Amino acid sequence: MSLPRFHHLASFAVLLAVSTAAPNAQDEENQSTDPPSEQSESPEQDQEQGQQASQADETVAVTAKLKQPERRTLYFLGPDLKLERQIGPSIGTPKSILPQPLVAKGTIQVPEAQPLLPNAGAPVPDRLERDAGEGMPPEGTAPDGVDSDPFGDVLTAPQDAGTNADALQDEGTLPATEETPDGLSDQTVGVFQEGVLERMDPSGFPVGQGLDTVWQGYSRERIIEFLTLLSQPSLSPALSRFASAVAASRFDVPEPSSDQDVMDFLAARLSVFQSQADRAAYVGLLDALPADQDWNALGHHIARAHLLKGELTDACFVADARRADDADPYWVRLSAFCMAANGNRAGVDFQLGILEETTSVDPVFYQLIDQILVEAEQLPGAVLPPVTELNGLLPVDILSAAMARLARVTVQDLDVSNVNPLAVPLLLENPMVSRTVQNKLIAYLLDRGIPVASQVMQVIEALEIPEDEIMAVRSWIAAQAAALEGTGLDAGTVDAPMSSELPFEEADLQTVLLSMAIREGGDAPMAVREFWRLAGLSGQQAAVSPVLAAALKSNAASPFIEFSDTLLIAAHAAHLSGDAKTAEQWSRQLRVSVAGENADLDAALIANWPVMAMAGNMSLTKPSVVSRWLQAQGVGQNVSQNIGQSVDQNATQNSGQDYCRQANLVFTLLEAMGDTLGDKQWAALESGPALFSGGSLSPAMWRRYLVAIQHEDPVELLGALYRIALEVGPADLPPAVAGTLVAGLQTMNFEQTARAFALEILISQQK
């Protein structure tokens, strides 16, 4: 036990000896290397040397540590990566989400900003860019001599104030010049007016093919009165089409005083579109109304527009909304129609019960509702029930036309006591209406001059005319020609009276003649002449021209080459329909078809000269051409001898008085359109009668028209002109009156309408 302990003690002693020996040896080495002189210095020097020695020891220790190798850990990260830019698909130009302006760019000019002080040499800082209350008057006030708006913003000083910036600074009104913000030292500061954005007024929105004229300077009441006049049917198709264009143009009207002003103005415009059966403009104006406003006052128009577009669901939604505030039976009828279309018999019974308590119900309405229910209850894929015939007269309104289309019933006759013109094209699109109904609808459109030629031609081309009807028309035309033989009158002349009863009703005869005009064969020229003559007897040549021009354009020109009179009719119909290019082609065909001596062709060329001149061919108004035309008409040096007698007893010529009237009309209309004729040509007509037969206009209406020309008032002029056209057709206007009416339109820069109106007058009165 004692031996191990001794061993540990011996080991400890050896270690202690080694540890103490090393420092002593180091001290001895240091002492041996010191120079002798340093060992004899003072204690302060010894202390300084000790500090230097300790610093040297630390340096040696740090150097030894740096010389020792450090352990490093290496990681393989692979080659250096090269950053590349990510390339993705192009997103295009950013699009603005701001609302687009409601007016075309460039139509509104922003005035230049006026300086606050016109005579100021130093700039004026804006109130918003300075500290509040620093040299500025209180809110809602302005410095002396400077105007202010209701919102307290400083406006432009009066031009005659005679103030400048220095004077105002002296008075303490404006801050010193050095307080002007940076960037305003070389420019004056513009001031903007504040205001409240009122609710949008869509009264004057343009729609469709309107005019470029902006109707401004008139009160709302005056424009509404004017539009109410235009909603009546005119005897001039050109003026009727012009009325629709007027209603479609932009109106710059005063600010409305109430919502009712807006509703009344829109209703007046819609009534014009309705009278002209202008479906596109009617629907377009209603579609342009802002969706965030209340248009319940126009509920009837909005519901009808949905029915015209075939949007029954939207029309039913309008009916449901209006029934809460409006007791009009129309909404009950429309609701019953909606219930029937959905196959809801209980709902239909409820609506009919309400309707029976408020008004009398037509049996035709009951039958339409019942048939719509039958159609709605059919399962998909089931065999459709047989088509039924409507027992009664179908009213010509939009709701009845839409119901008849969905009910799948045949319509044999119409109730024309209260016709909505917009419903006529809608009914004409229904293939279930009979030929008699189609003929009545076409006759209505022709009489009113409503421009739906393409739709009418679709019906005409689809008709299958029985051969016995065509034979009956041929026999009637031949019998009439035989009765006129030896009288000097041609069967195709407008003046030729009816020598025998018509084979059908006039509406049915018009349809048969149009169908024959587009057929190939020898019947086409004969049918064209009779159709044109019938229209002339009733003063409807201008009204039927769009349909006749479309019919002749669809047919080949070969059947007409041998007949100069039919070529002339084709040219005139194209002119009246506004198709100048086709009219020029027919006129050229007429001029190049000369083959030897042809008296009929010469007469057709002579008759076509005024129309070609009126259409804008200025070269035809040369004095030599006019003189030859006068001589061909029998008007010249011997004009006084021709009064009251025929130029040729065997020719279809009128009296000298009619020649003078025709020449006066041509000259007057040409000069109204800007063509100047010589005094020599006018002098040839002075020996004619001073008074022509015919009606006379009211002096009051005539004075109103002349005053409107003098004052250059377009609304007053058009109102007076349309008022005259309501009672006097183009065929009955005296030459002097006709020239003045056309000149008035020309003066107001309505040149296109003036030329169309002049062509109507000229062709309608041509003998």
Side-chain angles (χ1 to χ4, degrees):
M1 295 297 292
S2 61
L3 182 59
R5 184 178 181 182
F6 174 79
H7 176 72
H8 288 292
L9 291 175
S11 299
F12 179 76
V14 173
L15 291 174
L16 182 61
V18 172
S19 62
T20 56
N24 294 332
Q26 183 69 28
D27 294 338
E28 292 177 358
E29 182 179 0
N30 293 335
Q31 292 177 2
S32 62
T33 57
D34 291 338
S37 60
E38 293 180 358
Q39 296 177 0
S40 61
E41 291 191 303
S42 62
E44 292 80 20
Q45 293 178 347
D46 294 339
Q47 184 178 0
E48 182 178 359
Q49 290 178 357
Q51 293 177 356
Q52 293 178 355
S54 62
Q55 292 177 359
D57 294 340
E58 292 176 2
T59 303
V60 171
V62 171
T63 304
K65 184 177 179 180
L66 292 175
K67 290 182 179 180
Q68 295 179 359
E70 296 181 357
R71 297 183 61 185
R72 300 176 59 190
T73 303
L74 301 178
Y75 298 94
F76 180 73
L77 299 178
D80 295 339
L81 298 178
K82 183 178 180 181
L83 297 179
E84 294 183 358
R85 182 179 179 182
Q86 182 179 1
I87 301 176
S90 175
I91 62 175
T93 305
K95 296 182 179 179
S96 174
I97 62 174
L98 297 177
Q100 297 299 317
L102 297 175
V103 295
K105 294 183 179 179
T107 57
I108 297 180
Q109 296 182 356
V110 180
E112 296 182 359
Q114 298 294 331
L116 181 64
L117 299 173
N119 300 324
V124 181
D126 193 283
R127 179 172 64 113
L128 299 179
E129 298 183 4
R130 291 198 302 264
D131 295 336
E134 188 174 307
M136 291 298 296
E139 282 290 329
T141 63
D144 296 337
V146 182
D147 298 331
S148 64
D149 66 354
F151 298 94
D153 287 334
V154 179
L155 302 181
T156 306
Q159 297 293 332
D160 57 351
T163 59
N164 53 41
D166 296 335
L168 292 180
Q169 289 173 6
D170 294 340
E171 296 176 3
T173 306
L174 295 177
T177 305
E178 57 267 14
E179 295 182 9
T180 303
D182 294 339
L184 300 178
S185 58
D186 296 329
Q187 62 181 356
T188 57
V189 179
V191 181
F192 297 92
Q193 297 184 7
E194 294 181 0
V196 179
L197 183 61
E198 300 292 342
R199 186 163 61 175
M200 187 180 302
D201 176 20
S203 300
F205 281 2
V207 59
Q209 300 296 325
L211 303 177
D212 295 334
T213 302
V214 178
W215 309 96
Q216 57 186 354
Y218 301 94
S219 64
R220 286 179 171 267
E221 293 74 14
R222 180 67 185 93
I223 295 294
I224 291 176
E225 179 184 353
F226 174 55
L227 293 173
T228 303
L229 177 64
L230 297 184
S231 63
Q232 304 179 42
S234 169
L235 296 178
S236 169
L239 294 182
S240 296
R241 295 191 294 268
F242 183 64
S244 185
V246 168
S249 60
R250 176 188 166 195
F251 291 88
D252 189 4
V253 291
E255 183 178 352
S257 59
S258 63
D259 291 344
Q260 190 61 38
D261 291 346
V262 178
M263 303 301 175
D264 292 342
F265 200 93
L266 291 172
R269 296 180 66 185
L270 291 170
S271 64
V272 178
F273 300 143
Q274 177 175 288
S275 66
Q276 299 301 323
D278 193 345
R279 184 191 304 184
Y282 184 86
V283 174
L285 180 58
L286 293 171
D287 288 344
L289 299 179
D292 57 346
Q293 296 188 27
D294 182 10
W295 303 110
N296 286 332
L298 300 176
H300 285 84
H301 292 290
I302 295 175
R304 290 165 184 161
H306 287 311
L307 293 177
L308 288 173
K309 294 185 292 184
E311 300 171 349
L312 180 58
T313 303
D314 295 331
C316 297
F317 178 79
V318 175
D320 292 340
R322 293 301 301 136
R323 286 196 59 188
D325 303 324
D326 192 352
D328 191 341
Y330 176 81
W331 302 119
V332 185
R333 294 177 183 272
L334 181 54
S335 298
F337 176 31
C338 298
M339 296 291 183
N342 291 325
N344 187 354
R345 284 191 174 271
V348 169
D349 293 339
F350 178 75
Q351 302 297 335
L352 291 178
I354 298 176
L355 188 61
E356 291 168 352
E357 294 178 358
T358 57
T359 184
S360 59
V361 184
D362 191 348
V364 172
F365 184 80
Y366 284 116
Q367 186 178 0
L368 289 174
I369 288 291
D370 184 65
Q371 191 62 28
I372 292 172
L373 278 171
V374 172
E375 294 289 330
E377 292 171 348
Q378 299 300 314
L379 297 177
V383 179
L384 294 178
V387 177
T388 61
E389 180 179 334
L390 189 64
N391 299 324
L393 304 179
L394 179 69
V396 187
D397 58 68
I398 297 177
L399 178 58
S400 299
M403 294 177 66
R405 183 65 179 267
L406 195 60
R408 212 166 62 91
V409 295
T410 59
V411 181
Q412 300 298 328
D413 209 346
L414 300 174
D415 179 9
V416 295
S417 58
N418 190 15
V419 177
N420 187 333
L422 284 170
V424 176
L426 187 62
L427 276 173
L428 200 57
E429 296 171 356
N430 189 348
M432 305 300 292
V433 297
S434 63
R435 267 195 59 197
T436 302
V437 172
Q438 288 178 334
N439 297 340
K440 288 185 177 181
L441 296 173
I442 292 174
Y444 178 86
L445 296 175
L446 295 180
D447 293 341
R448 296 284 296 269
I450 297 176
V452 287
S454 59
Q455 188 175 7
V456 172
M457 285 309 303
Q458 291 179 359
V459 176
I460 296 298
E461 292 173 353
L463 288 179
E464 296 182 0
I465 307 297
E467 189 63 26
D468 57 344
E469 294 186 11
I470 296 179
M471 293 297 297
V473 173
R474 289 174 182 168
S475 301
W476 172 73
I477 295 176
Q480 181 169 304
L484 294 176
E485 186 176 357
T487 62
L489 297 177
D490 186 8
T493 306
V494 174
D495 290 344
M498 290 292 180
S499 58
S500 59
E501 295 182 359
L502 297 176
F504 315 108
E505 295 292 335
E506 186 171 352
D508 300 333
L509 181 60
Q510 281 184 329
T511 304
V512 175
L513 291 174
L514 280 175
S515 180
M516 294 173 63
I518 64 175
R519 293 171 178 263
E520 297 182 359
D523 291 336
M526 174 183 61
V528 169
R529 286 194 297 265
E530 288 302 318
F531 182 83
W532 188 251
R533 189 177 67 84
L534 286 174
L537 291 175
S538 58
Q540 296 293 317
Q541 287 182 342
V544 303
S545 290
V547 175
L548 181 60
L552 297 179
K553 192 174 182 179
S554 65
N555 197 358
S558 55
F560 304 99
I561 292 178
E562 300 178 1
F563 302 96
S564 57
D565 53 352
T566 53
L567 286 174
L568 182 64
I569 293 173
H572 288 180
H575 275 303
L576 293 177
S577 65
D579 191 352
K581 183 178 180 180
T582 303
E584 183 180 356
Q585 293 175 353
W586 286 116
S587 298
R588 186 182 301 111
Q589 185 69 33
L590 178 64
R591 299 187 68 180
V592 301
S593 59
V594 179
E597 296 183 359
N598 190 333
D600 293 337
L601 181 60
D602 291 340
L605 289 172
I606 293 172
N608 197 39
W609 169 81
V611 177
M612 294 177 64
M614 189 62 62
N617 194 335
M618 303 296 292
S619 63
L620 296 179
T621 59
K622 293 181 179 180
S624 58
V625 178
V626 177
S627 299
R628 288 199 299 269
W629 179 77
L630 287 174
Q631 293 176 2
Q633 292 291 307
V635 180
Q637 297 179 355
N638 59 344
V639 63
S640 58
Q641 301 176 3
N642 295 331
I643 300 298
Q645 58 182 341
S646 300
V647 178
D648 187 355
Q649 295 181 354
N650 296 325
T652 59
Q653 303 292 339
N654 293 316
S655 65
Q657 182 176 358
D658 292 336
Y659 282 130
C660 286
R661 189 182 192 280
Q662 182 76 9
N664 276 277
L665 177 65
V666 171
F667 285 10
T668 303
L669 293 177
L670 286 176
E671 289 203 344
M673 291 303 302
D675 295 335
T676 302
L677 300 176
D679 295 336
K680 182 178 180 180
Q681 281 73 30
W682 277 106
L685 305 178
E686 292 178 357
S687 57
L691 182 65
F692 295 113
S693 60
S696 127
L697 294 181
S698 166
M701 289 301 304
W702 190 239
R703 178 184 178 277
R704 177 185 174 187
Y705 186 80
L706 295 178
V707 170
I709 296 179
Q710 182 180 3
H711 293 169
E712 297 182 355
D713 188 341
V715 170
E716 193 70 19
L717 180 139
L718 293 175
L721 175 59
Y722 207 81
R723 176 68 175 81
I724 294 172
L726 290 177
E727 300 183 18
V728 184
D732 299 325
L733 287 172
V737 174
T740 307
L741 295 179
V742 173
L745 289 171
Q746 181 77 356
T747 302
M748 297 300 171
N749 297 323
F750 299 128
E751 182 177 356
Q752 185 176 358
T753 302
R755 194 173 299 277
F757 188 47
L759 284 171
E760 275 189 2
I761 298 171
L762 184 61
I763 295 176
S764 299
Q765 298 189 21
Q766 194 171 67
K767 303 299 182 181

